Amino acid sequence: DAGITQSPRHKVTETGTPVTLRCHQTENHRYMYWYRQDPGHGLRLIHYSYGVKDTDKGEVSDGYSVSRSKTEDFLLTLESATSSQTSVYFCAISEPAGHLKGTDTQYFGPGTRLTVL
Amino acid sequence: AQKITQTQPGMFVQEKEAVTLDCTYDTSDPSYGLFWYKQPSSGEMIFLIYQGSYDQQNATEGRYSLNFQKARKSANLVISASQLGDSAMYFCAIRGLQGAQKLVFGQGTRLTINP
């Protein structure tokens, strides 16, 4: 158990509304990631963070923004949700190799199912 | 750029048989890591096994082993003595070992274990 929680776990919203998803970790991991999972595409990286206030774009970042004001929290915001953003969103953590045992690995949160009507 | 190809969208196996899930990859990174994850119907992503490109031996974790053939750019997952609980989606993923360690996933293989 990597101590990762996501909230909310399920959300239904309407097109054009802002949505924020939260990822919270309890073990002081440096790296955090947001992925989306869609049928036929596996998981794709949206944004990631390599420290407080340090973030960068992933493969599918258009329409999303992130913030990390504290080590333990990584927020994903959809400024104006669209139906194409209906997906399952996963948060993940990792540590750079060599710091702790087993840290070459990304561990995932339970996921958030988002439906945009 | 990195890419993972999983050519088996679905597989059906009898309980207690061994099963091999295929994964081929492409990368320009000189050093990289390969991962397998399991996603049961409940939806969580469960880490199974990791193989570093520099590792001389194939990785093993209990009933899971990774058949790593670097020259062929393949990293197949082998599950020995399959169980009903092994029924799930399985994803292969790759990342470089420098920088942010972003994972690139394949599309997955749905494994069904029949009693």
Side-chain angles (χ1 to χ4, degrees):
Chain A
D1 184 1
I4 308 166
T5 58
Q6 293 185 231
S7 59
R9 294 293 313 278
H10 298 87
K11 186 172 183 66
V12 179
T13 190
E14 294 188 349
T15 297
T17 60
V19 176
T20 295
L21 308 182
R22 180 184 184 232
C23 177
H24 179 78
Q25 53 122 339
T26 59
E27 299 183 3
N28 209 35
H29 295 288
R30 178 184 172 192
Y31 285 85
M32 298 184 75
Y33 308 80
W34 276 108
Y35 292 86
R36 62 178 288 174
Q37 183 179 24
D38 305 293
H41 288 279
L43 277 77
R44 292 179 293 173
L45 182 66
I46 305 171
H47 281 279
Y48 65 96
S49 169
Y50 45 96
V52 172
K53 297 186 180 180
D54 292 324
T55 64
D56 206 346
K57 296 179 180 180
E59 177 187 0
V60 289
S61 59
D62 287 348
Y64 302 94
S65 62
V66 290
S67 65
R68 193 169 179 198
S69 59
K70 300 184 290 185
T71 298
E72 58 265 35
D73 288 326
F74 191 31
L75 303 181
L76 176 71
T77 298
L78 292 64
E79 300 290 349
S80 177
T82 67
S83 59
S84 65
Q85 294 176 311
T86 293
S87 187
V88 179
Y89 292 86
F90 285 96
C91 174
I93 58 91
S94 72
E95 278 288 346
H99 283 203
L100 295 171
K101 181 180 177 181
T103 56
D104 282 335
T105 303
Q106 286 190 19
Y107 294 95
F108 287 81
T112 294
R113 183 172 296 276
L114 176 67
T115 302
V116 183
L117 301 176
Chain B
Q2 297 162 328
K3 184 179 180 181
I4 292 286
T5 302
Q6 294 181 254
T7 58
Q8 306 154 311
M11 286 194 67
F12 296 84
V13 175
Q14 289 299 119
E15 189 179 9
K16 300 182 182 178
E17 291 183 352
V19 56
T20 297
L21 303 181
D22 294 340
C23 172
T24 58
Y25 63 90
D26 193 19
T27 181
S28 55
D29 289 336
S31 296
Y32 48 91
L34 294 152
F35 300 79
W36 279 91
Y37 287 86
K38 173 185 179 181
Q39 187 177 40
S41 58
S42 52
E44 70 268 32
M45 293 290 290
I46 303 168
F47 165 71
L48 294 178
I49 196 167
Y50 164 79
Q51 176 85 45
S53 61
Y54 43 79
D55 293 338
Q56 295 298 312
Q57 293 186 328
N58 287 343
T60 61
E61 290 286 349
R63 293 188 299 113
Y64 305 107
S65 61
L66 204 151
N67 183 3
F68 181 48
Q69 299 187 46
K70 195 170 183 178
R72 293 187 173 186
K73 294 190 175 181
S74 72
N76 298 339
L77 176 70
V78 180
I79 306 174
S80 63
S82 58
Q83 303 171 356
L84 296 178
D86 293 332
S87 293
M89 282 290 289
Y90 289 82
F91 292 95
C92 181
I94 186 172
R95 67 159 169 78
L97 297 185
Q98 304 295 327
Q101 306 182 8
K102 297 173 282 185
L103 279 175
V104 173
F105 285 83
Q107 294 184 359
T109 294
R110 182 172 298 280
L111 176 64
T112 302
I113 307 298
N114 296 315

